[in-house]
């Protein structure tokens, strides 16, 4: 490998220092550090996103959103910036903006990014758009192990009376968490599938 130039070494050191400040929760210092960094490297989208995270940690979400938007003007397909902005909007109760951002981003992303699909699914569920939520969450179902995602998807299936799909997921959850009270939902799905004897067995295990 080729040795780094003095400029590259300086950049790497500055980047490491800023990330260390954030790791230590020294967000005011990190904010000042990234602002100085951008004076000499204004087109650095990741640093603009990190600066947004500092503002968000300092309870200044409006400023954070502006930095995230600036980062996306530079690199529209940067997953890190899209996720940070979407999460910030969700925390501010602006779920619709988060949905529009993520849907637009995922439509032009190749390959699609799993954590963005997960967040989009959660946002759709929060907005009461169950069919869209199911579609988004199905994109990650076989690629991640996240029981909060599994549970959300199972509840959505059950709500729409898709009992077999819901049963398959509840069964997976209960296999990993045998003492789980979620076994009750497993029994409900069995009732929906007219498997009353099996449902009774599951309820006895509660």
């Amino acid at each position: 490998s080729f040795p780094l130039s003095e400029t590259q070494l300086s950049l790497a050191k500055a980047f490491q220092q800023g990330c260390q400040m954030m790791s230590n929760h020294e967000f005011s210092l990190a904010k000042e550090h990234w602002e100085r960094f951008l004076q000499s490297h204004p087109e650095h989208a990741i640093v603009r996103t990190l600066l947004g995270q500092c503002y968000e940690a300092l309870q200044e979400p409006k400023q954070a959103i502006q930095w995230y938007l600036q980062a996306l003007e530079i690199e529209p397909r940067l997953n890190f910036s899209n996720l940070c902005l979407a999460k910030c909007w969700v925390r501010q109760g602006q779920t619709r903006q988060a949905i529009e951002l993520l849907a637009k981003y995922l439509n032009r992303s190749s390959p699609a990014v799993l954590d963005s699909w997960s967040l989009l699914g959660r946002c759709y569920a929060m907005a009461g758009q169950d069919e869209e939520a199911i579609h988004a969450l199905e994109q990650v179902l076989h690629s991640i192990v996240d029981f909060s995602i599994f549970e959300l998807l199972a509840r959505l299936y059950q709500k729409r009376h898709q009992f077999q799909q819901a049963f398959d997921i509840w069964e997976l959850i209960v296999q990993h968490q045998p003492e789980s009270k979620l076994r009750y939902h497993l029994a409900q799905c069995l009732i929906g599938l007219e498997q009353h004897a099996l449902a009774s067995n599951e309820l006895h295990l509660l």
Side-chain angles (χ1 to χ4, degrees):
S1 61
F2 294 101
L4 294 175
S5 67
E6 286 189 19
T7 300
Q8 289 172 322
L9 285 170
S10 176
L11 278 172
K13 183 177 179 181
F15 202 83
Q16 187 273 333
Q17 288 173 338
C19 289
Q20 186 62 52
M21 291 173 189
M22 293 181 72
S23 178
N24 293 336
H25 299 279
E26 298 170 331
F27 294 109
S28 292
L29 289 175
K31 177 175 74 72
E32 295 171 2
H33 177 82
W34 294 131
E35 286 171 344
R36 288 194 301 272
F37 185 99
L38 287 172
Q39 288 175 4
S40 52
H41 307 282
E43 297 302 308
H44 207 300
I46 290 178
V47 169
R48 288 182 181 275
T49 306
L50 291 169
L51 186 52
Q53 287 187 315
C54 290
Y55 273 103
E56 204 170 352
L58 294 168
Q59 306 299 314
E60 298 184 64
K62 290 183 179 179
Q63 289 87 338
I65 288 170
Q66 292 307 309
W67 285 109
Y68 297 146
L69 288 170
Q70 288 180 30
L72 289 171
E73 286 179 9
I74 298 169
E75 290 191 46
R77 296 191 180 188
L78 189 59
N79 184 54
F80 177 45
S81 306
N82 277 282
L83 268 178
C84 286
L85 177 55
K87 288 178 180 178
C88 186
W89 268 333
V90 169
R91 284 189 282 268
Q92 297 305 306
Q94 296 174 281
T95 307
R96 176 54 51 195
Q97 287 92 325
I99 288 173
E100 291 175 359
L101 173 74
L102 290 168
K104 182 180 178 182
Y105 166 60
L106 288 166
N107 186 51
R108 65 189 180 208
S109 292
S110 181
V113 186
L114 297 179
D115 46 4
S116 293
W117 277 114
S118 299
L119 181 57
L120 179 59
R122 292 181 189 276
C123 288
Y124 275 133
M126 290 168 63
Q129 295 178 247
D130 295 347
E131 185 175 350
E132 291 86 351
I134 287 172
H135 172 73
L137 295 174
E138 284 178 339
Q139 308 307 306
V140 302
L141 179 60
H142 301 294
S143 304
I144 62 171
V145 179
D146 183 336
F147 285 100
S148 66
I149 291 291
F150 294 166
E151 183 177 339
L152 175 57
L153 184 53
R155 290 181 185 277
L156 288 167
Y157 279 141
Q158 200 167 335
K159 183 178 176 183
R160 294 172 64 84
H161 293 178
Q162 294 175 250
F163 294 117
Q164 186 60 59
Q165 292 95 322
F167 174 83
D168 291 342
I169 299 178
W170 289 126
E171 186 176 44
L172 175 65
I173 294 172
V174 169
Q175 284 174 355
H176 285 80
Q177 303 171 11
E179 302 301 319
S180 174
K181 297 298 182 183
L182 297 177
R183 191 179 292 275
Y184 171 73
H185 295 287
L186 196 61
Q188 282 189 318
C189 290
L190 287 167
I191 291 170
L193 293 168
E194 298 186 1
Q195 300 287 331
H196 298 96
L198 291 175
S200 178
N201 291 340
E202 292 296 335
L203 291 171
H204 279 303
L205 293 172
L206 286 172

